[in-house]
Structures are given as structure tokens and as C-alpha cells.
Amino acid sequence: MALERACLLALSPFSLFEPLKWLALDGVRIMRILGIDPGLQLTGYGCVDLRPRSHEPALIEAGVLRLKPKASLAFRLAQLKDDLDALLEELKPQVLVVEKLFSHYRHARTAIIMGHARGVVLLAGQARGLRIEELAPTEIKRAVTGNGHASKNHVQRAVMKQCGLRQLPDPPDVADAIAIALCAARRLA
């Protein structure tokens, strides 16, 4: 399967509670953190670098993995795994971060289906020996907007401002993934 990825940013070619492993790029130590917002049609990702003694992470790349919406669930999960493997190989993060699963009783079926995609993300990270962290949605929103119940648009605007982007990260899955990575990086700083 060919990797179908819409990359929104490529600014540079180049965990939370355990001892950190730092990656050396061009003689500079960094921690690379990949935030993932899993989905069965679009999976957002945001990759940030954190340097020692730095309080603010730098956005390296963000985008979406596009899955075939009319394909079977099994096919989309396999496609997601293949695309994630390629992304992990390219970006080489030390930490993989996803939201903790949240479910409202009115949307239980959605949570179950989305749990499949989230499971694939966790499996891909574990298979590579990455440090995996899970953050609550309210913690992520609070970290980037100051409000744990912020709207998707509020998260998009906050991410745009904090990362110095010229336009809103779109679709919102990208902003969510960047927010996940930013929140994790700030916990590490």
C-alpha cells in the first residue's frame, strides 16, 4: 500500500515519567514527540522536538494519514498500521502520545469503532519500543487553550498562534494531534 499522507508542515529535515532518551541531531540533543489523533478516515499527527532546558517545543511536521473511507474496517486498520509504520520510520520519535479513550453513553458505538484505530496506534508504537503516553482530552485542551472544554475551533486557533502558523491547521484532526504533542512536550520540559 502506498503511503497517502497530506503533510502540512515540514519545517526542518532533521516521556513523561521515566528517564528520557535524547536523540542527537547535528550534535544537538533533542526529544522527538509524536502526537496522534486516531481516526478511521483521517488520522492526524503532529511531531515536535524538545531541546534540553527548553520550555517550548518546536513543531517539526504535522499532517493527516488518509484512509480509504469505503474500504472495510479490517482494510482501513491494516492501511493505518502500514502508514503509521512508514511515518514512525521517517520521523523517528522517542515518545508516542495519544488521547485516553473517552466515551459518552450516546456515542458508545463510535467509541468502540475508534478504539480499533487507537489500538493500531498503540500497537505500532509498542512494536517499535517507543515510550507511549496517554493524556486525557481535558488536560490536552487545558494545556493549549487554558480551558479543558475548549471547542475544536478554539484548539485550532491556539495551536496556530503557539506554533506561529499562518493559517488554521486543517482538518481539525491535525490541530488535535499537534495539541497532543505540545501537551506531552510541556509535561517533559
Side-chain angles (χ1 to χ4, degrees):
M1 276 176 251
L3 177 65
E4 185 178 334
R5 190 167 94 200
C7 180
L8 300 180
L9 301 170
L11 303 177
S12 172
F14 358 37
S15 263
L16 304 177
F17 310 114
E18 307 168 4
L20 300 175
K21 295 178 185 172
W22 295 88
L23 173 69
L25 289 178
D26 299 327
V28 177
R29 293 180 342 150
I30 62 162
M31 172 64 61
R32 182 154 288 174
I33 302 153
L34 181 62
I36 300 284
D37 181 34
L40 292 172
Q41 291 186 21
L42 298 176
T43 291
Y45 71 91
C47 185
V48 299
D49 280 353
L50 182 63
R51 296 177 187 275
R53 294 177 295 284
S54 174
H55 297 291
E56 278 303 307
L59 181 62
I60 300 303
E61 182 175 314
V64 292
L65 304 176
R66 296 183 185 276
L67 307 179
K68 296 183 187 295
K70 294 185 190 234
S72 71
L73 176 61
F75 182 89
R76 286 182 284 162
L77 294 173
Q79 182 185 5
L80 178 58
K81 171 74 166 63
D82 291 346
D83 290 356
L84 278 170
D85 283 342
L87 184 66
L88 293 171
E89 179 62 32
E90 180 182 329
L91 295 176
K92 300 187 182 343
Q94 286 83 36
V95 181
L96 178 69
V97 190
V98 296
E99 277 186 348
K100 288 181 181 175
L101 193 56
F102 170 77
S103 173
H104 190 276
Y105 70 92
R106 291 184 186 157
H107 307 286
R109 183 179 174 347
T110 301
I112 291 167
I113 290 172
M114 295 310 295
H116 295 315
R118 190 172 174 281
V120 168
V121 172
L122 296 173
L123 174 65
Q126 185 65 38
R128 289 185 168 269
L130 299 180
R131 180 173 173 170
I132 298 173
E133 298 296 337
E134 299 174 59
L135 302 173
T138 54
E139 179 182 359
I140 296 163
K141 290 177 181 182
R142 190 178 315 110
V144 295
T145 69
N147 176 358
H149 300 286
S151 68
K152 288 221 177 259
N153 183 265
H154 192 179
V155 172
Q156 285 177 288
R157 285 185 283 120
V159 165
M160 180 179 87
K161 182 177 180 185
Q162 291 171 29
C163 294
L165 305 175
R166 288 186 221 134
Q167 60 188 26
L168 287 177
D170 191 53
D173 311 76
V174 177
D176 290 348
I178 296 169
I180 292 166
L182 290 173
C183 179
R186 289 171 180 156
R187 287 180 77 184
L188 285 168

